[in-house]
Amino acid sequence: MNGEYIELNAEVLSVIYRNDENGYSVLELATEDNRMVTAVGVCVPLASGERVHIEGVWTYHREYGQQIRMSLCRPMPPESTEQMEVFLRSGIVKGCGPSFAKAIVETFGEDTHQVLLGDPAMLTRIPKIGIATAIKICNSYRENMNIRQNVGALMEYGLTVNQAMRISAFYGDGAVGVVRENPYRLAEDVAGIGFRIADAIAMKVGIEPDSPFRIDAALRYSLVWAGEEGHTYLPAKVLVDTTVRIIGANREDVEYELASLCAKGQLFLAHGEEEPVYLGQFYRAERECADRIHTLATGDKAPVLTPLSLPALEKLHGVKLASEQRKAVDTAMERGVCVITGGPGTGKTTIVRFLLELLESGGKRCVLCAPTGRAAKRMGEATGMDAFTIHRLLEYTGGDNAPRFQRDQDHPLDYDAVIVDETSMVDVFLLMRLLRAIRPESRLILIGDADQLPSVGPGNILKDLIASGCVPTVKLVTVYRQGEGSGISLAAHRVNHGEMPQNGENGDFVFLERDTIGGCWQKIEELIRENPGIQVIAPSKKGDLGVIALNQRLQQLLNPPHPRKPQVEISGKIYRQGDRVMQIKNNYTIAWQKDQGRMVVEGEGIFNGEMGELVSLDPELQQASILYDDDRLAVYPIYNLAETDICYAISVHKSQGSEFPAVIIPILGTNALLYTKNLLYTAITRAKRKAYLIGSRRSVSYMVANDRMQTKYSGFKGALKEAFGCEDS
């Protein structure tokens, strides 16, 4: 019998085991002649009661006995009303429990399949099924049928079940057609499908290795990748080098195709010695931002007629502003656009409080915003005034994987002054959306720390604004903070000036010298046992003290395996109920709810950098629920966990815009690219009350002395000079 080919139809009695990442499953089946068999192999998620068509060979396992090794496992549409009822009540079809399943089948009989694929209004003939529930049931049934049909076809191209399911969920009915016509779209559209996977599929559908189509796709992908790395363009030489390295094509062929794409307007070659090459949307975004800032900066602004004066406010609050702080307030009151930059403790919050009182006393409506929820929350607490994320301020709604902002040039914000904090985190596309929604007669006040790392997204907005010299800028340099957190501020400023940080007098900044990995980990574990909520921030992802290794150890320490804690493996990572997780990619369509006591607020969209707890995990229903730190609850298909990461430890880049009560920063070894002064500075400034720097003095000294800046290709400075008519100095 061993090695003998077998083909049969069967009913799934139970799913004994399943790996949700690669789809490997162990099934207990009942054949049509009432035999019980075990089958192993890759398949889509299945539920008890479903019927499947199996192809494979008989094998013998010395522990589990005779079983079928599946080469194909295709779910079969229910053929009888009994099978249809079993399928509908299995839990796979959302909104359809046992009572609805029974009622639907009794009402429509053998026509149930067509009804569920057709008009949802038909289901409202059944008592207690309203139109919303009917739509939910029909959409889920249709999605399940599409997935089952698509996944088998997609797996023929070497995709795993999980990858095939993500592709099917993204493209719907057209998934197979997209893969056959242009597999390179997958790298841009679908989480977890990179260029190399798309390129491997392209080879299987018959695209030649040296075809212009493949080279064009690789050039575009290189620019998309550059955008994900924070660049808005790549110099032509760098773009060609990158593309040659990725696909191994002939350099002359790549240069020819690049020239052809630029000539046809499909890529944009801008002026400059570097020969910057853009994707069109990046070039247009930079130019639009520059033009809109010029309009705000040069347009007429009504003077602020306020009964208050700075001396009166100083007396009222018992605060004497320094000359640089007074200059910042005066500039913001007088100019259409201004930048206020400074490190922690330099008085930025005090300036914002004064500005709010002066502007509002003069009848001006003000609004505060920041790029992240954490930054907005911190801004609101510091000023006593509501602050919004930029997405929320612009009344973002999700849909079709594309952002939709209700506020724009046609429906602008009803504010006279817009104050943005953590501007260093704002990328060029978010700035463009914000600028579209600001009326020409309004003021824009941009606040941030230019010495922090630039935004993770494309562009180098704050530094380019300052470097252009086109926008009035006030730099705050004196540290005023006293008491709690003052040691953190002083340590950060010492690092920024190339000096070794010193332990704070209040014990809020502590450098704990450890020269070995074991010594560092022992201290990290000790501190975390004392304070499980402390955030670890590491310079790099890799290495024994990198984010990946730390998360594995911290997960074991803080959330070890337990029979009552479900877990799944996605993209090589274990996700366990109770884990701390972070969204690492904008998802504009994930629905969320927020219970506010008397009402439940609903919305869409979870964004890069948002953190929360994985509060429930249901491998059978293929669902995961995450409660975010602002109390929004989002329910994910399990495969969408690929868009999140475990976050007991996070990278310095991912910590930007956030502030934590206490942080641990492990530093050991040296790396010229990663261990830089501004990286350490940014990490320290993430702490509000307590910062522990753990590592060797040699490593910290190396970072403090390494003032190497990460190269970030951005043309925004030049766009500003062009818009304002400024000459290069």
Side-chain angles (χ1 to χ4, degrees):
M1 180 180 280
N2 282 352
E4 181 182 341
Y5 175 80
I6 183 169
E7 184 175 338
L8 55 83
N9 297 331
E11 178 184 340
V12 178
L13 297 179
S14 67
V15 180
I16 299 170
Y17 169 81
R18 175 172 176 78
N19 181 313
D20 287 303
E21 168 58 17
N22 57 28
Y24 181 82
S25 303
V26 180
L27 309 175
E28 187 178 16
L29 306 173
T31 67
E32 292 177 324
D33 57 1
N34 295 320
R35 286 183 298 151
M36 301 276 290
V37 299
T38 300
V40 299
V42 174
C43 63
V44 300
L46 297 167
S48 299
E50 284 198 74
R51 296 181 69 251
V52 292
H53 174 76
I54 297 290
E55 296 178 15
V57 295
W58 283 105
T59 61
Y60 182 81
H61 191 285
R62 61 184 178 183
E63 184 175 349
Y64 300 112
Q66 207 74 35
Q67 53 188 219
I68 299 171
R69 182 184 297 135
M70 300 181 292
S71 58
L72 175 69
C73 177
R74 182 185 298 121
M76 301 170 63
E79 292 182 349
S80 67
T81 54
E82 291 81 8
Q83 291 170 4
M84 177 62 79
E85 184 178 341
V86 168
F87 179 73
L88 292 178
R89 74 185 183 204
S90 68
I92 284 181
V93 179
K94 296 174 185 176
C96 190
S99 60
F100 281 171
K102 182 177 179 64
I104 291 170
V105 172
E106 287 181 348
T107 302
F108 300 107
E110 294 182 357
D111 294 328
T112 298
H113 176 69
Q114 293 302 323
V115 169
L116 291 171
L117 292 179
D119 185 1
M122 294 282 287
L123 295 187
T124 61
R125 291 163 49 184
I126 298 171
K128 297 185 179 180
I129 295 185
I131 188 63
T133 300
I135 291 172
K136 185 176 183 179
I137 291 172
C138 287
N139 285 347
S140 181
Y141 183 83
R142 190 179 300 113
E143 180 182 340
N144 271 283
M145 292 299 106
N146 286 339
I147 286 175
R148 279 157 170 69
Q149 187 175 25
N150 286 336
V151 166
L154 292 171
M155 288 176 63
E156 294 177 6
Y157 297 108
L159 293 161
T160 67
V161 169
N162 207 30
Q163 290 167 343
M165 287 184 64
R166 289 203 293 271
I167 294 168
S168 180
F170 189 91
Y171 295 115
D173 295 351
V176 177
V178 168
V179 169
R180 288 173 179 165
E181 292 172 16
N182 183 6
Y184 294 107
R185 281 185 59 186
L186 304 180
E188 298 182 31
D189 295 342
V190 184
I193 308 294
F195 178 82
R196 296 195 183 281
I197 293 175
D199 195 41
I201 296 171
M203 298 298 100
K204 291 184 178 180
V205 300
I207 295 174
E208 295 296 328
D210 59 351
S211 73
F213 183 77
R214 182 177 184 239
I215 296 173
D216 290 359
L219 284 163
R220 294 174 193 275
Y221 168 73
S222 297
L223 289 172
V224 170
W225 166 83
E228 292 172 350
E229 293 295 309
H231 308 289
T232 58
Y233 72 84
L234 284 179
K237 183 181 183 304
V238 175
L239 176 56
V240 170
D241 290 343
T242 302
T243 304
V244 169
R245 185 173 65 252
I246 289 173
I247 62 173
N250 181 279
R251 185 178 187 85
E252 288 73 21
D253 290 343
V254 174
E255 290 174 340
Y256 178 84
E257 291 304 324
L258 174 58
S260 176
L261 288 172
C262 292
K264 290 184 287 189
Q266 295 179 14
L267 296 180
F268 193 91
L269 178 62
H271 298 294
E273 291 183 7
E274 290 184 317
E275 296 185 303
V277 181
Y278 286 83
L279 290 170
Q281 64 266 34
F282 288 84
Y283 181 82
R284 291 188 294 271
E286 283 189 343
R287 266 57 193 173
E288 181 177 340
C289 286
D291 289 342
R292 289 186 179 277
I293 285 177
H294 176 256
T295 299
L296 286 172
T298 57
D300 292 334
K301 301 289 185 290
V304 182
L305 304 175
T306 172
L308 294 176
S309 65
L310 268 182
L313 276 179
E314 289 175 324
K315 185 175 181 180
L316 177 65
H317 293 292
V319 174
K320 180 68 175 176
L321 296 184
S323 59
E324 62 186 18
Q325 293 175 308
R326 294 178 67 90
K327 181 181 178 183
V329 173
D330 290 340
T331 303
M333 294 290 288
E334 295 168 2
R335 307 299 290 266
V337 179
C338 79
V339 172
I340 301 171
T341 180
T346 55
K348 297 190 296 292
T349 301
T350 299
I351 291 168
V352 171
R353 291 197 196 106
F354 272 64
L355 283 172
L356 289 172
E357 291 196 52
L358 289 169
L359 289 165
E360 291 186 338
S361 69
K364 303 298 183 183
R365 298 193 65 217
C366 303
V367 68
L368 306 176
C369 63
T372 68
R374 282 179 174 270
K377 182 179 180 181
R378 187 173 73 247
M379 194 181 193
E381 290 170 348
T383 61
M385 179 176 170
D386 286 342
F388 305 88
T389 64
I390 296 175
H391 282 87
R392 185 181 170 197
L393 177 65
L394 300 180
E395 298 177 22
Y396 163 82
T397 58
D400 302 327
N401 274 340
R404 295 178 182 175
F405 296 94
Q406 303 302 308
R407 294 292 183 170
D408 55 20
Q409 59 268 43
D410 298 321
H411 304 91
L413 296 166
D414 190 21
Y415 294 103
D416 302 299
V418 177
I419 302 175
V420 184
D421 196 15
E422 293 285 357
T423 305
S424 64
M425 282 194 67
V426 178
D427 66 45
V428 68
F429 291 108
L430 189 56
L431 179 65
M432 178 182 71
R433 297 287 185 178
L434 178 62
L435 291 171
R436 286 178 180 177
I438 299 176
R439 298 175 304 181
E441 64 271 20
S442 299
R443 287 173 169 78
L444 175 62
I445 302 165
L446 300 168
I447 299 172
D449 185 349
D451 292 317
Q452 286 186 18
L453 296 172
S455 65
V456 176
N460 204 357
I461 298 303
L462 185 59
K463 286 187 177 180
D464 282 352
L465 278 164
I466 296 169
S468 72
C470 300
V471 176
T473 299
V474 180
K475 186 166 186 178
L476 309 173
V477 295
T478 307
V479 179
Y480 303 99
R481 183 176 296 166
Q482 300 294 324
E484 184 181 64
S486 60
I488 296 170
S489 297
L490 291 171
H493 281 277
R494 286 185 65 86
V495 168
N496 202 31
H497 287 90
E499 302 170 5
M500 282 290 289
Q502 297 178 348
N503 289 345
E505 293 181 4
N506 299 319
D508 47 7
F509 176 82
V510 181
F511 176 27
L512 300 166
E513 289 193 51
R514 298 292 187 277
D515 292 322
T516 65
I517 293 166
C520 289
W521 170 249
Q522 185 178 10
K523 192 60 187 179
I524 291 170
E525 182 176 359
E526 177 187 321
L527 291 171
I528 285 177
R529 287 189 185 279
E530 295 173 359
N531 179 8
I534 199 167
Q535 182 64 54
V536 180
I537 301 176
S540 62
K541 290 184 178 180
K542 299 179 181 179
D544 293 318
L545 290 177
V547 171
I548 296 171
L550 285 169
N551 271 323
Q552 290 172 348
R553 301 188 72 162
L554 291 170
Q555 184 186 49
Q556 187 67 26
L557 175 68
L558 297 171
N559 190 32
H562 191 280
R564 295 182 180 177
K565 287 184 178 180
Q567 66 181 46
V568 294
E569 184 176 342
I570 304 288
S571 300
K573 294 188 287 273
I574 298 294
Y575 290 83
R576 186 174 298 127
Q577 187 168 299
D579 276 334
R580 285 284 295 168
V581 293
M582 171 188 278
Q583 184 77 14
I584 57 174
K585 179 180 180 180
N586 288 344
N587 187 317
Y588 299 102
T589 58
I590 290 289
W592 54 262
Q593 292 184 333
K594 184 174 183 178
D595 189 345
Q596 294 187 328
R598 295 184 178 181
M599 63 181 294
V600 175
V601 178
E602 297 183 343
E604 290 180 312
I606 303 294
F607 302 103
N608 187 5
E610 298 197 54
M611 301 170 74
E613 180 183 341
L614 184 57
V615 292
S616 71
L617 193 60
D618 192 327
E620 185 172 341
L621 293 180
Q622 292 287 292
Q623 285 187 344
S625 298
I626 298 175
L627 182 63
Y628 283 92
D629 290 345
D630 60 359
D631 297 323
R632 288 176 302 149
L633 181 67
V635 179
Y636 287 66
I638 270 184
Y639 58 78
N640 268 30
L641 286 177
E643 298 179 353
T644 70
D645 207 347
I646 306 299
C647 68
Y648 299 105
I650 59 177
S651 68
V652 179
H653 285 87
K654 286 295 184 184
S655 74
Q656 287 178 263
S658 297
E659 188 177 66
F660 304 94
V663 303
I664 295 172
I665 308 163
I667 305 291
L668 201 61
T670 56
N671 183 316
L673 292 176
L674 293 175
Y675 281 38
T676 62
K677 180 175 70 176
N678 71 330
L679 193 87
L680 180 57
Y681 172 83
T682 302
I684 293 172
T685 57
R686 299 309 89 203
K688 184 176 182 181
R689 293 194 289 270
K690 198 85 171 180
Y692 297 97
L693 183 60
I694 303 175
S696 71
R697 179 167 292 274
R698 176 176 175 272
S699 297
V700 175
S701 177
Y702 178 87
M703 288 190 80
V704 168
N706 184 8
D707 57 4
R708 176 174 180 160
M709 301 296 289
Q710 177 187 359
T711 299
K712 197 165 191 184
Y713 297 113
S714 166
F716 187 46
K717 173 185 169 183
L720 285 165
K721 286 182 171 290
E722 186 176 320
F724 279 81
C726 303
E727 294 184 2
D728 287 315
S729 53

